[in-house]
Amino acid sequence: MRRCFRVLVPPEPLQHAGRRVVVRFSTAGFDLPDWFRNPKDVVPSSSGLDAEEDDDDFVLPIKSDVSDERSSDKGSGGSSPLTIRAGCPVSACSHEDAEFEADVDEVSRILRSRFASPEAIVIAMDCCPVRVSARLVDKILCRFGNDWVAAFGFFMWAGTQEGYCHCADSYDMMVDILGKFKQFDLMFGLISQMHEVGGLVSLTTITKVMRRLCRASRWSDAIDVFHKMDRFGVVKDTKAMNVLLDALCKERSVKRARGAFRELMGTIPPDESSFNTLVHGWCKAGMLKEARETMAEMEKNGFSPSVITYTSLIEAYCMEKDFQTVHNILDEMHRKGCSPNIITYTILMHALGKAGRTQEALNTFAKVKQDGCVPDASFYNSLIYILGRAGRLQDAIFVVKEMRRTGIPPNLTTFNTLISAACDHSQAENALKLLVKMEEQSCKPDIKTYTPLLKLCCRRQWVKTLLFLICHMFRKDITPDFSTYTLLVSWLCRNGRIVQSCLFLEEMVLKGFAPKQETFDLVLNKLDNTKLHSAKRKVELLKMQVAPTRSPVRSYLGESGFV
DNA sequence: TGAAGTTTAA
């Protein structure tokens, strides 16, 4: 592990064989290097550890002239070749924008170095000559949202800068990042601060807190926060109660949601959403008897089940592949004058497709038209997914054209679905072309765009392409999240790239993620068969470092006024 | 990022 953590640091300037490389990662388009088009020619596919040494360094190849070049796409589904344009127009940038981008880069450069604590960052940031603004804070928090130490260190430093005060939105973002990493003591401290500086705590803040606590399986703490939120000037009304119920239901605790609901409904009047939230919770948990009971209770309280209620029920039967009951419910809906909508049909079509009943799924399309429903982007995306899964990529492309024809432009999910389908069918080049096409159409990628590509690179052992993609992601403010790291570590490990696997594992821990024990064990088992003794010791140390510790939230609740 | 639906993970 001599070259730790190089992988996520885009080298600037990019050097290759003594020449400055012209390839740049821009926000509006990028050059596709030669080896990117045909990675297997560049990266040896041998799985021996010796071969890894060559790939350990991230060096971009010399820029090749790919502009206007048309490529032949062997084995593709036949989509038309794409023209790749070099560079992007920069004339639109104002002087102020350029200054802002420079400030973002400067802060990012500092934050990318490893720091042991947020306090160390505050010290390192001292005299950093950037102009702090809400826009800058927003951008940095977004970019470092998966690195709470960096984000919080910067946030604390920014808060001390003259002429600047954090706004409620920035506080809320920071609260959410701390909650995501289970830094609940710091999170509650921040909330106290928000309250003291001028009543900045809102239902938005409390929502983030309750959702993060529930996600960390601290359901009763979330309920506690709800009970005490009025101390921060946030009203405990129906809307707030519904957020609590939803957070509990979505995070595997529908029974606690029912308990909280029964306790609260005496003082807070429930509405239709309250009941629908619970019905959905039961349905997702596969507890159909309880779902029906809640529906009955709903009617007793004067609310008739709506299309939302029935759709939840239909989804539950779809999960059980009980399509006969689904059709009975659809009939019942029609009888009661509660027509299914496009969401209902999307659920049904998707379930049929996933169950391998492709033709029946496609027949749903006819039913939709017959019913006078108007397909929307999600419906089309689901259709594209089903076709992609069935290997009918040409048909999927046809659906995209159909979307455009009906005035619905393909969105992020459309592209993600297409990229994923292309990767699944080993059409790497088509997948990469789609990535370029997205940028051309100003469709901002997200982590899900890259996941199938990263997975394909791991499977094929295209380490350089993998690292290129990770740098590309970074420039777009997308950093690997917990699951992406887990994927990278395990896939690289399984595919004979143990050194890179260890690098990502270490990087993951340093970013504050706690890898699962299975992930450690997978890597350690693999290391047993190698001579990488120091790497093994390091991984064992990391494993001990993240051994589960659970600190009591209640004391934090007390300190921050939540008691 | 959520009162119902669409993308990844063995």
Side-chain angles (χ1 to χ4, degrees):
Chain A
M1 305 280 254
R2 53 205 160 80
R3 284 166 293 204
C4 290
F5 316 124
R6 294 193 56 184
V7 285
L8 292 187
V9 184
E12 289 170 327
L14 304 164
Q15 296 284 140
H16 179 77
R19 287 167 61 183
R20 184 157 293 199
V21 176
V22 197
V23 175
R24 278 173 195 282
F25 304 112
S26 72
T27 48
F30 64 93
D31 297 324
L32 214 52
D34 247 1
W35 51 268
F36 207 8
R37 306 177 141 263
N38 211 349
K40 41 188 175 294
D41 291 348
V42 183
V43 182
S45 58
S46 132
S47 61
L49 284 169
D50 291 338
E52 290 184 4
E53 289 303 305
D54 294 330
D55 297 326
D56 204 11
D57 272 319
F58 177 34
V59 184
L60 274 178
I62 304 163
K63 179 181 184 277
S64 58
D65 185 17
V66 293
S67 312
D68 301 316
E69 188 186 309
R70 302 218 128 197
S71 69
S72 64
D73 186 20
K74 280 175 242 152
S76 78
S79 71
S80 60
L82 192 79
T83 306
I84 295 146
R85 270 182 269 115
C88 66
V90 287
S91 54
C93 284
S94 71
H95 175 67
E96 207 171 303
D97 283 341
E99 206 170 75
F100 172 74
E101 290 300 333
D103 284 355
V104 170
D105 283 347
E106 174 60 9
V107 174
S108 301
R109 190 187 60 76
I110 297 170
L111 295 182
R112 265 183 240 140
S113 325
R114 308 291 144 175
F115 291 97
S117 67
E119 289 76 16
I121 291 173
V122 175
I123 294 165
M125 292 287 299
D126 192 33
C127 301
C128 177
V130 300
R131 205 177 70 196
V132 179
S133 61
R135 188 181 168 205
L136 182 79
V137 173
D138 183 88
K139 179 87 177 172
I140 295 295
L141 291 188
C142 175
R143 180 172 284 190
F144 289 90
N146 279 328
D147 186 346
W148 77 267
V149 174
F152 193 50
F154 167 76
F155 186 84
M156 289 204 302
W157 170 82
T160 64
Q161 298 308 294
E162 233 182 88
Y164 172 79
C165 267
H166 285 307
C167 62
D169 285 352
S170 303
Y171 270 114
D172 285 346
M173 267 177 103
M174 195 63 240
V175 162
D176 197 48
I177 294 169
L178 291 171
K180 180 158 74 177
F181 287 88
K182 302 180 189 169
Q183 298 298 314
F184 295 119
D185 49 348
L186 295 172
M187 185 187 77
F188 284 119
L190 201 59
I191 289 170
S192 301
Q193 196 185 324
M194 287 173 80
H195 187 53
E196 282 157 20
V197 299
L200 295 178
V201 181
S202 67
L203 180 58
T204 311
T205 322
I206 298 296
T207 299
K208 291 182 193 302
V209 172
M210 293 193 298
R211 290 199 189 281
R212 289 303 181 189
L213 283 169
C214 286
R215 191 155 299 177
S217 309
R218 293 174 186 255
W219 305 285
S220 30
D221 290 321
I223 297 170
D224 223 23
V225 165
F226 177 83
H227 282 302
K228 285 150 192 166
M229 64 193 252
D230 47 1
R231 297 181 189 184
F232 292 88
V234 189
V235 191
K236 285 195 280 183
D237 56 8
T238 305
K239 195 176 166 198
M241 177 180 74
N242 291 348
V243 171
L244 173 70
L245 298 180
D246 190 55
L248 291 166
C249 284
K250 294 245 165 74
E251 302 302 338
R252 320 166 304 281
S253 197
V254 57
K255 285 186 181 168
R256 279 188 187 80
R258 178 177 56 187
F261 180 64
R262 288 196 174 150
E263 193 193 323
L264 292 169
M265 70 185 297
T267 48
I268 301 171
D271 63 5
E272 199 190 312
S273 309
S274 319
F275 288 103
N276 280 334
T277 303
L278 285 170
V279 170
H280 183 235
W282 294 121
C283 286
K284 280 283 185 188
M287 298 168 82
L288 285 154
K289 191 172 135 273
E290 287 80 359
R292 297 267 191 190
E293 280 166 12
T294 303
M295 277 170 80
E297 198 183 338
M298 185 176 182
E299 293 197 78
K300 235 191 291 174
N301 279 268
F303 302 102
S304 29
S306 67
V307 61
I308 296 178
T309 329
Y310 282 116
T311 300
S312 292
L313 207 58
I314 283 177
E315 190 180 19
Y317 285 105
C318 279
M319 269 158 42
E320 296 198 343
K321 297 199 176 78
D322 183 354
F323 295 108
Q324 185 52 53
T325 307
V326 170
H327 283 107
N328 293 343
I329 297 171
L330 286 172
D331 287 343
E332 186 186 332
M333 287 173 79
H334 278 119
R335 270 201 315 276
K336 287 191 174 169
C338 173
S339 295
N341 61 20
I342 194 65
I343 298 178
T344 321
Y345 284 122
T346 306
I347 289 168
L348 175 58
M349 178 177 70
H350 201 74
L352 285 166
K354 276 207 157 165
R357 296 161 73 156
T358 312
Q359 196 48 52
E360 280 170 84
L362 300 182
N363 292 345
T364 313
F365 200 10
K367 195 91 189 283
V368 164
K369 293 206 164 158
Q370 193 187 317
D371 249 28
C373 276
V374 182
D376 62 4
S378 296
F379 180 85
Y380 281 122
N381 289 340
S382 183
L383 193 56
I384 290 167
Y385 172 78
I386 291 164
L387 291 166
R389 237 171 86 104
R392 293 165 61 171
L393 297 179
Q394 283 286 26
D395 290 335
I397 299 287
F398 176 80
V399 173
V400 177
K401 285 182 185 147
E402 177 69 9
M403 280 176 87
R404 281 223 171 81
R405 198 186 61 76
T406 53
I408 301 166
N411 62 18
L412 175 61
T413 307
T414 317
F415 278 109
N416 288 357
T417 310
L418 288 167
I419 288 174
S420 168
C423 287
D424 277 348
H425 292 84
S426 294
Q427 296 184 12
E429 192 175 336
N430 268 343
L432 292 164
K433 280 178 187 169
L434 283 160
L435 187 65
V436 177
K437 208 166 196 166
M438 272 179 96
E439 301 195 281
E440 286 176 349
Q441 293 177 15
S442 308
C443 182
K444 197 177 175 301
D446 70 357
I447 188 69
K448 293 181 182 78
T449 314
Y450 291 94
T451 309
L453 290 162
L454 296 175
K455 194 179 123 189
L456 187 69
C457 289
C458 292
R459 207 163 56 208
R460 297 291 172 84
Q461 301 180 12
W462 296 340
V463 177
K464 286 182 183 174
T465 311
L466 179 76
L467 300 179
F468 179 90
L469 284 169
I470 288 182
C471 288
H472 193 247
M473 284 165 64
F474 185 85
R475 298 305 300 176
K476 298 198 168 295
D477 299 340
I478 304 158
T479 51
D481 56 11
F482 177 84
S483 44
T484 311
Y485 271 121
T486 306
L487 183 103
L488 286 167
V489 171
S490 51
W491 274 85
L492 284 166
C493 182
R494 287 203 186 95
N495 289 282
R497 295 280 166 175
I498 186 71
V499 172
Q500 280 86 3
S501 169
C502 289
L503 286 171
F504 279 113
L505 185 64
E506 198 169 5
E507 167 89 21
M508 182 178 182
V509 174
L510 261 158
K511 286 279 181 73
F513 292 109
K516 288 186 206 150
Q517 295 296 300
E518 302 101 88
T519 312
F520 278 117
D521 294 342
L522 183 77
V523 174
L524 285 170
N525 280 338
K526 206 76 170 187
L527 282 169
D528 275 340
N529 308 321
T530 70
K531 289 179 184 156
L532 302 166
H533 303 299
S534 63
K536 188 170 179 233
R537 270 195 302 279
K538 189 143 200 177
V539 173
E540 279 166 346
L541 225 68
L542 289 173
K543 188 180 171 185
M544 275 160 57
Q545 199 182 315
V546 300
T549 50
R550 198 183 157 101
S551 39
V553 162
R554 290 190 180 278
S555 66
Y556 315 143
L557 289 173
E559 282 161 26
S560 60
F562 266 102
V563 168

